[in-house]
Amino acid sequence: MSEPGPTPRADLFWALAWIAVGAAMFAGGFTMDRLERQHINPYTAPGLVPALLGIGIAVLGAILLVRSVRRGALAAADGGRAAADGGRLALALGLCLAYAGGLVGRTLFGWHVPFWLATALFDFASIVAFEWRDRRARGELGRGIAVAAACALGTAAGVTLVFQEVFLVRLP
Amino acid sequence: MLDGLVLFGRALAGFADPLTLLIIAGACLIGIVIGALPGLTATMGVALLTTLTLKMPSNIALIVLVCSYVGAIYGGSRSAILLNIPGTPANAAACLDGHALAQQGLAGRAIGISTTGSVMGTLIGMFFLAVATPWLGEVALKFGAYEFFWLALFGVIISGNLTGSDPLKGWLAGFVGLFVACVGQDPIHAYERFAFDNRDLAGGFQLIPALVGAFGFAEVLTVLAARTPKPVIRGFDTPLPRIGDVLRHWRTILRSGVIGTFIGVVPGVGEDVASWSSYAAARRASREPEKYGKGSVEGLMAAETGDNACVPGAIIPVLALAVPGSAPAAVLMAAMIIHGVQPGPLIMVNNPQFVFDVVAMMLYATIGILVFGLALVKPLLKVLQVPREIIMPIVFVLCVIGSYAISQRLFDVWTMLGFGVAGYVLRRYEYPMAPFVLGIVLGDLLDKNLRRGLVLSDGDLTPFFTRPISATLAAICLATMLANFTFVRRAARAAFAALTPWRKAA
């Protein structure tokens, strides 16, 4: 079953954002150093292409704006999109960002978190968290935790071994 | 012609040692598994494997990527047939008839047909890859700055027009991709653009971490956010292909192979459009169009031939023009550059052997999917039943370490995270990723050649519109964009009717 498409109101907000982004890009490109002191050909100014792309994005944003208004973006009733999967998404995003941004390559309380440990913790927590409901319903929580631990340790050991010993990558 | 055959023979012999054959087998198998698992796309697979093959010799690394690319596009048909979920977007058309056949207890036959179609499609595409690349390379030698500028814009506009459900959003995604390519040192004066005095940003965004984010992390979020029921697979008949299916549908195979290859050549369009176009063409030409969607052997054959023919087709412009024909081909192109191969118009002058190496890689990949596709039916069923909740965290670990391993800096991990979140949000609002990726890849080409062209013409814009190839590409870009506006279509219809009054009278 396919999800419903974005509403005209969502498109309206996106259109306004694109116009703002395009305007910012144009301003950034237009005010960029034209390297006149280096006597470069003015047609090779570094800001030329970003400024033109900014105009392009702003024009396309304006077309999207007109279209969304024509499709009823300003009408009072606009149901919006149901965020049925909001909880799972937040959990996935939180776990991924905590691992990649908060654990990998970080020093916590004066201790550098080894990559293998960060990986094992992330894998274990993710598998347990996303399988929790189904496993509990089937009365298989213990088995689920064991499977998660095995997968987490296997992944941590495998990835560390391959990247550190075979590809000679200095892990973060 | 004879030179080509000699180079092809040399390439085949070069890959024929036991270790390389073992690596090829492994790569095909990994590709099939990646394709078969819904949520793991060919682009994501090739991007992740690029990071895993960095330290390999270039030819071995590239054969791994080519085999996994072919394998993934083929493997996606497995879940399409058995679960009614396309393993990759390229296999959506295969769901219609493949799953209908499976529901009739003919899943084995459907697997046989998809394998036959994929093998035939890859072989047809491979033939055109060998024949058309040298020819296109020769034509491309006549390209100047004006033509390359239009080619880059053409790729983004066509890709935006054909890959999503809304061309306007496709173009926006493409333009944003072009802008992303502008971040960092500019290609002519090495001036730092939009770097905000950040040393990492001054180097620009690396393509592979950006792609791993946009296709890998975004997909991880999409799959984990949705609750997926445990797949149920029914028993089925033998998957061995029937020679009668091939002989009876030779026209469909040939037509779909040509359509798939041609769509592959068009920049940034890719396998899903190839598959649907082949399917639609087969239906129009069919004597039994009413069977389509209800288990038509011809329909499944057309879809699977078309998408796999697109793979070699998408590599033709990579080699001849340095312009990718699809999103996975964009990653492949980046991998070629990382491994010291410079694709583009000069490849037939500087490195003709490489073109035929790629043709040989295609042949080995074809043999790989044929053997594994038919021999490992039962183990692949087990793979399909592994819960996504176990696979996706592991995939994310590979996204992180793969992004980091290229330059061993955490900035690339942040790049992957940023592009992943942006990709997820954009996709949720129906902004397609293929033009975005193509924009990142082609941004440098567009930027350099617009400014070079302006210098050559001393600011005069007319050469951009008057040279034959430039004028053609400009006209296609303009017509493609305008054709999406109702008032333009209405005006064009009115003008056509006014110019051809006899049609109305008839």
Side-chain angles (χ1 to χ4, degrees):
Chain A
M1 200 174 69
S2 63
E3 279 189 60
T7 61
R9 184 159 296 180
D11 279 348
L12 175 73
F13 289 129
W14 273 102
L16 293 170
W18 290 129
I19 292 169
V21 167
M25 280 165 57
F26 175 75
F30 190 76
T31 55
M32 200 175 277
D33 192 344
R34 292 175 198 172
L35 307 177
E36 281 147 341
R37 276 164 299 155
Q38 294 177 25
H39 306 292
I40 63 154
N41 187 312
Y43 297 117
T44 63
L48 178 70
V49 172
L52 290 176
L53 288 173
I55 295 173
I57 288 179
V59 169
L60 292 173
I63 297 171
L64 185 63
L65 179 89
V66 172
R67 195 183 73 177
S68 64
V69 170
R70 277 188 174 178
R71 289 181 180 176
L74 298 177
D78 187 305
R81 269 184 94 151
D85 49 14
R88 284 177 70 94
L89 174 66
L91 182 63
L93 197 59
L95 284 167
C96 290
L97 292 181
Y99 166 63
L103 281 179
V104 171
R106 296 280 160 183
T107 302
L108 299 177
F109 310 111
W111 182 61
H112 179 80
V113 183
F115 178 78
W116 68 266
L117 182 62
T119 300
L121 285 174
F122 164 73
D123 259 357
F124 178 75
S126 302
I127 295 171
V128 169
F130 284 103
E131 288 211 310
W132 184 268
R133 213 166 108 175
D134 291 343
R135 292 276 188 190
R136 199 175 58 176
R138 294 202 300 267
E140 289 178 356
L141 265 185
R143 187 183 149 89
I145 289 171
V147 168
C151 289
L153 290 174
T155 307
V159 170
T160 304
L161 198 73
V162 168
F163 278 87
Q164 193 167 277
E165 305 302 326
V166 182
F167 297 152
L168 305 176
V169 172
R170 230 178 105 178
L171 293 174
Chain B
M1 183 72 183
L2 203 62
D3 288 349
L5 281 174
V6 171
L7 293 173
F8 179 55
R10 199 179 292 161
L12 279 179
F15 292 125
D17 67 279
L19 182 63
T20 310
L21 291 176
L22 198 68
I23 291 171
I24 290 170
C28 288
L29 193 57
I30 290 172
I32 294 172
V33 170
I34 287 172
L37 287 168
L40 302 189
T41 60
T43 313
M44 179 202 218
V46 179
L48 281 179
L49 284 171
T50 299
T51 65
L52 285 167
T53 52
L54 278 177
K55 306 275 174 169
M56 289 183 177
S58 65
N59 256 13
I60 300 296
L62 292 172
I63 202 169
V64 167
L65 300 181
V66 168
C67 289
S68 60
Y69 181 10
V70 174
I73 297 298
Y74 161 69
S77 65
R78 201 54 61 99
S79 52
I81 291 166
L82 297 171
L83 306 177
N84 201 20
I85 306 168
T88 70
N91 308 99
C95 282
L96 296 178
D97 291 298
H99 190 64
L101 282 167
Q103 282 183 318
Q104 293 161 26
L106 296 172
R109 189 171 179 210
I111 289 171
I113 292 160
S114 78
T115 306
T116 314
S118 298
V119 165
M120 298 305 288
T122 315
L123 289 176
I124 293 170
M126 192 187 95
F127 169 77
F128 284 110
L129 176 65
V131 173
T133 308
W135 171 80
L136 191 59
E138 218 161 277
V139 173
L141 283 174
K142 295 180 186 127
F143 280 25
Y146 313 106
E147 287 78 12
F148 274 114
F149 162 75
W150 280 116
L151 192 66
L153 199 61
F154 170 82
V156 169
I157 288 173
I158 296 290
S159 174
N161 204 58
L162 295 179
T163 51
S165 55
D166 185 346
L168 187 57
K169 291 181 179 177
W171 302 329
L172 274 163
F175 274 51
V176 172
L178 288 172
F179 174 70
V180 167
C182 289
V183 175
Q185 291 187 338
D186 93 284
I188 295 181
H189 303 296
Y191 180 80
E192 288 176 12
R193 298 186 293 197
F194 305 105
F196 308 108
D197 292 329
N198 180 307
R199 208 178 52 183
D200 288 316
L201 267 181
F205 295 112
Q206 284 215 45
L207 184 65
I208 297 293
L211 292 184
V212 167
F215 285 93
F217 183 31
E219 199 63 54
V220 168
L221 289 177
T222 308
V223 174
L224 286 180
R227 187 173 283 280
T228 43
K230 206 172 172 192
V232 180
I233 298 170
R234 296 159 61 173
F236 55 85
D237 53 329
T238 173
L240 284 179
R242 300 177 188 178
I243 194 79
D245 284 338
V246 179
L247 295 177
R248 206 173 309 126
H249 300 297
W250 68 270
R251 274 197 193 89
T252 306
I253 291 172
L254 207 60
R255 187 193 316 109
S256 306
V258 173
I259 291 173
T261 310
F262 175 75
I263 288 175
V265 176
V266 181
V269 177
E271 292 79 16
D272 41 349
V273 177
S275 176
W276 283 113
S277 305
S278 305
Y279 186 81
R283 187 176 183 165
R284 269 198 302 275
S286 177
R287 286 180 196 152
E288 300 169 317
E290 72 283 354
K291 282 193 179 169
Y292 277 65
K294 295 171 190 157
S296 164
V297 170
E298 193 178 51
L300 180 59
M301 186 76 90
E304 284 305 292
T305 307
D307 61 12
N308 266 77
C310 183
V311 176
I315 296 176
I316 294 173
V318 167
L319 294 173
L321 303 167
V323 172
S326 67
V331 189
L332 193 64
M333 188 174 110
M336 284 177 190
I337 294 166
I338 289 171
H339 284 285
V341 177
Q342 188 54 56
L346 286 175
I347 199 161
M348 282 311 292
V349 179
N350 295 337
N351 196 1
Q353 179 64 57
F354 181 73
V355 173
F356 290 91
D357 283 353
V358 176
V359 178
M361 291 173 192
M362 282 289 160
L363 185 62
Y364 281 113
T366 312
I367 296 167
I369 60 169
L370 179 66
V371 172
F372 288 126
L374 297 177
L376 298 180
V377 173
K378 291 229 164 107
L380 282 171
L381 289 186
K382 295 272 176 222
V383 171
L384 278 181
Q385 287 169 316
V386 177
R388 300 296 107 80
E389 289 82 0
I390 291 179
I391 293 172
M392 284 304 168
I394 298 172
V395 169
F396 182 67
V397 169
L398 292 176
C399 290
V400 171
I401 191 62
S403 303
Y404 175 81
I406 296 172
S407 304
Q408 305 196 18
R409 55 179 193 164
L410 282 171
F411 176 74
D412 290 329
V413 176
W414 286 102
T415 301
M416 181 275 293
L417 290 174
F419 278 85
V421 173
Y424 176 81
V425 175
L426 287 171
R427 284 202 312 195
R428 221 174 139 76
Y429 288 92
E430 295 185 353
Y431 290 87
M433 282 295 99
F436 176 67
V437 168
L438 206 68
I440 302 178
V441 174
L442 297 179
D444 189 59
L445 192 74
L446 179 136
D447 187 3
K448 262 192 306 204
N449 287 293
L450 174 65
R451 293 192 280 160
R452 274 184 194 158
L454 285 172
V455 170
L456 289 171
S457 65
D458 200 21
D460 182 9
L461 287 174
T462 45
F464 283 93
F465 298 97
T466 50
R467 289 162 61 105
I469 299 172
S470 289
T472 310
L473 290 171
I476 296 173
C477 287
L478 201 66
T480 305
M481 291 187 94
L482 290 178
N484 283 288
F485 295 99
T486 319
F487 71 93
V488 175
R489 281 202 305 270
R490 216 177 285 148
R493 265 199 299 270
F496 184 70
L499 289 170
T500 55
W502 61 89
R503 284 174 66 94
K504 201 175 175 184

